[in-house]
Amino acid sequence: MRVFVTGASGWIGSAVIPELIAAGHQVVGLARSDAAALTVSGAGAEVLRGTVDDLDVLRDGADASDGVIHLAFKHDLAFSGGFEAAALANQAAVEAMGEVLAGSDRPFALASGVLGLAPGRVATEADGLGADAEGSAPGGGLSLRRATARYVVDLAARGVRSSVVGLAPSIHGEGDHGFMASLVAVARDKGLAGYLGDGSQRWPAAHVADAARLFRLALEKAPAGSHLFGVADQGVPIRTIAEVIGRHLDLPAGPVPEEDAAGHFGWLAPLVALDSPASSAATRELLDWQPVQPGLVEDLEKGHYFR
């Protein structure tokens, strides 16, 4: 297939491109800068210049493709406190490409998330896309992202082989600048590898290479309207993560008072408070996807997050 990939130069996109090319697909990657274009072309993909805000470029990219994988998200904006604005931009981009793909039977795989889908219990692929799901989200950004995921699933009724890949909050590996890197940075800045309460809140995780393979499988064979989970570790306690971070940074690991959470963790505070384990059993059975890369704790212990 000729596959249009947004976010092609990003953390997950940089793993998805070689995964697709190795399987025989041709990749066209969206690149918003000269540096991104070099990354995309260096990975063996054709470059389409533009940003997630260039809706006409996105429409053209989708229209000229046999399938779309949408990974682009304004993570720099989201990680600096503008999650809702990032989610709004993402919603507009998805709707623009969805309209082009309607009636074509082409695949459209969307990157979404699993954090907060079913706080306090193990979430499954059956969670998070119902009309009542917004109530569990600790903020407008997550609710908007969930609504976008529902839109993509509903494209199945409009002739799109759509799938939503709910990603664990930690898609880890060497070079990661996401949630784990942010927690490491907070610990360095505050002199404490912190957690809330007793630190028993659980976060699911997956290695970036396993996530990339899941996107390829979704593109190739996921049934229309699929909700998939990119989860390898079902739930790693935040305290366990903090203790590994503290050991590698030679800092204490300990609780942060609830009233100090926002000051300590910043934009991460409501997310660190979530107990949000998730199972990918249905995804593994549906697509024969088996994570084979190191788990989160093993990856943290390798030390690359602390160099």
Side-chain angles (χ1 to χ4, degrees):
M1 284 185 275
R2 177 181 170 89
V3 186
F4 178 43
V5 179
T6 71
S9 65
W11 171 233
I12 300 174
S14 294
V16 166
I17 290 177
E19 175 72 27
L20 292 173
I21 291 175
H25 301 293
Q26 178 187 359
V27 180
V28 180
L30 186 71
R32 64 179 178 174
S33 66
D34 291 342
L38 284 173
T39 298
V40 171
S41 61
E46 180 183 331
V47 174
L48 179 63
R49 289 298 296 263
T51 75
V52 72
D53 294 318
D54 296 327
L55 301 186
D56 285 339
V57 173
L58 297 181
R59 292 185 186 100
D60 290 344
D63 191 42
S65 72
D66 300 312
V68 175
I69 296 178
H70 179 52
L71 305 171
F73 194 80
K74 294 183 175 183
H75 289 102
D76 50 351
L77 179 60
F79 289 165
S80 61
F83 194 93
E84 186 165 352
L88 280 169
N90 185 58
Q91 185 179 53
V94 167
E95 290 176 356
M97 291 184 287
E99 290 301 317
V100 170
L101 294 172
S104 70
D105 292 321
R106 286 177 284 174
F108 182 22
L110 168 73
S112 190
V114 303
L115 192 63
L117 289 185
R121 65 171 176 83
V122 178
T124 73
E125 293 87 344
D127 289 309
L129 298 182
D132 60 343
E134 294 184 16
S136 64
L142 288 178
S143 295
L144 282 167
R145 198 170 191 190
R146 206 153 299 157
T148 301
R150 288 199 300 273
Y151 169 85
V152 170
V153 166
D154 290 344
L155 284 173
R158 300 178 60 195
V160 181
R161 186 162 62 78
S162 60
S163 60
V164 171
V165 180
L167 293 171
S170 175
I171 300 297
H172 56 87
E174 189 158 4
D176 172 26
H177 296 290
F179 282 121
M180 283 304 111
S182 296
L183 285 174
V184 171
V186 168
R188 275 200 172 104
D189 180 56
K190 301 298 183 180
L192 173 69
Y195 49 85
L196 297 178
D198 62 1
S200 61
Q201 304 91 340
R202 295 159 292 175
W203 272 16
H207 192 278
V208 67
D210 287 322
R213 192 168 69 259
L214 178 56
F215 276 103
R216 175 178 63 79
L217 293 172
L219 179 88
E220 292 175 344
K221 61 182 183 179
S226 296
H227 191 204
L228 311 170
F229 273 13
V231 170
D233 290 319
Q234 179 170 292
V236 182
I238 298 294
R239 179 171 180 165
T240 299
I241 295 169
E243 288 172 347
V244 175
I245 291 173
R247 187 167 65 254
H248 280 267
L249 295 181
D250 196 23
L251 292 173
V256 173
E258 185 175 349
E259 61 271 20
D260 297 335
H264 184 92
F265 292 107
W267 64 272
L268 277 168
L271 306 180
V272 173
L274 284 174
D275 180 38
S276 190
S279 165
S280 60
T283 297
R284 299 183 194 210
E285 181 177 356
L286 179 67
L287 298 181
D288 192 26
W289 175 66
Q290 296 299 328
V292 297
Q293 298 296 327
L296 175 58
V297 172
E298 181 182 352
D299 200 18
L300 284 170
E301 293 286 14
K302 291 182 177 182
H304 54 81
Y305 277 96
F306 312 102
R307 289 198 287 269

